[in-house]
Amino acid sequence: MYNRRKFIRETSCLSMGTFLLPSLLADSKPIDNPGVQLYTVRKEMLADAPGTLKALAKLGIRQIESAASEKGFYYGLAPKEIKAICTDLGMTLRSGHVGLDTKWTQTLDQAAESGQEYLICSSMPSSGQTVDNYKKVAEAFNKAGEEARQRNIKFGYHNHDYEFEKVDGIPLYEVLLKETDPALVHMELDLGWVLASGFDPLDYFKRFPGRFPLWHLKDMNLQTRQSTEFGKGGLPIKNLFKETSASGMRYYFIEQEEYSKTPMDALAHNLRYLKKL
């Protein structure tokens, strides 16, 4: 069980840079407010969630996005526990990847308890690469978005690559964009998968301005279609950060699924890369 008082004592030696007040974090430039999708450190979180969060804070991570695991959305911690740990470390549990399924009400309850701002559906809730299915999903997303809004939570969707398959020359992802209410469905654009699918994220920022408040910042090796450390793939990171206003981006989460060494080494490299920008 998490002992908050003991945890605060143990983390007092962390640099003061990781303990900025939330009000100051909110005023930071987007690039100076780095987040991480915890799937990047999925094994580490399952082995030692508090210790891994502490290590992320020491690296300079400020925003956290959780993901489903064999121990639940919070890696064996209660919603209030992970919220308290993040707060004590100067971080915010900002978002979480979930499924839109029969446990949706329970998922909403847990997210409200954890204080999350966003709940992101991580994959299509029904199969079928057809316009009709994507329209049906868009309708379900609008409904989920309204239910989330009633609890002061923002609902959204995270793409992969399959949403960019075309039907009659139109990427299916654009069906979701056109059929969902921007006030209810907040898109989290996985920039790496957009690029790997042969599309330009900057084009989406231009044609659908303001629709992408969240990013998954993921560099991709376009030959292997695997994620890699920043600067080693094809993602034009510097140019993307020039267009945060067009995107509507508020937060970004570094996500890397494959690594040259270890997840923590990869994150350290990625954060150094961003600082040089």
Side-chain angles (χ1 to χ4, degrees), residues 76-261:
L77 298 170
K80 287 184 178 179
E81 285 183 296
I82 191 169
K83 177 184 179 181
I85 292 172
C86 287
T87 299
D88 290 341
L89 289 168
M91 301 191 298
T92 301
L93 179 61
R94 183 69 59 185
S95 178
H97 273 204
V98 299
L100 188 57
D101 52 25
T102 57
K103 296 182 179 179
W104 173 239
T105 300
Q106 179 183 346
T107 299
L108 281 171
D109 291 340
Q110 290 180 337
E113 189 177 356
S114 73
Q116 288 173 221
E117 182 177 357
Y118 291 90
L119 268 181
I120 303 299
C121 181
S122 59
S123 61
M124 291 283 284
S126 61
S127 60
Q129 292 296 87
T130 66
V131 171
D132 285 344
N133 182 53
Y134 274 66
K135 286 184 175 180
K136 181 178 72 172
V137 168
E139 184 178 355
F141 283 175
N142 287 330
K143 181 175 183 292
E146 179 58 44
E147 292 169 344
R149 185 165 67 173
Q150 292 173 6
R151 299 174 186 242
N152 295 316
I153 298 170
K154 300 179 180 72
F155 173 80
Y157 182 67
H158 166 274
N159 66 278
H160 295 86
D161 56 346
Y162 55 82
E163 296 92 342
F164 292 90
E165 293 179 15
K166 292 183 178 181
V167 173
D168 297 329
I170 304 298
L172 287 166
Y173 186 66
E174 296 186 17
V175 176
L176 290 180
L177 285 170
K178 293 173 181 177
E179 296 291 330
T180 51
D181 183 343
L184 298 176
V185 182
H186 307 267
M187 292 298 192
E188 179 174 65
L189 198 64
D190 190 306
L191 302 168
W193 280 122
V194 176
L195 189 70
S197 300
F199 293 85
D200 182 359
L202 293 170
D203 176 62
Y204 276 91
F205 297 168
K206 180 179 180 180
R207 291 194 295 119
F208 299 92
R211 287 300 307 270
F212 312 102
L214 304 182
W215 292 359
H216 265 196
L217 195 60
K218 178 190 294 178
D219 207 350
M220 294 286 279
N221 182 318
L222 298 181
Q223 283 69 50
T224 64
R225 289 172 62 88
Q226 291 185 324
S227 57
T228 187
E229 288 79 20
F230 292 171
K232 297 181 180 181
L235 193 70
I237 296 174
K238 186 174 183 178
N239 289 339
L240 288 165
F241 272 104
K242 291 178 180 178
E243 301 298 332
T244 55
S245 294
S247 164
M249 190 268 274
R250 296 185 63 208
Y251 304 102
Y252 69 93
F253 303 99
I254 299 168
E255 184 182 46
Q256 189 169 334
E257 300 170 59
E258 298 87 17
Y259 330 94
S260 299
K261 295 181 181 179

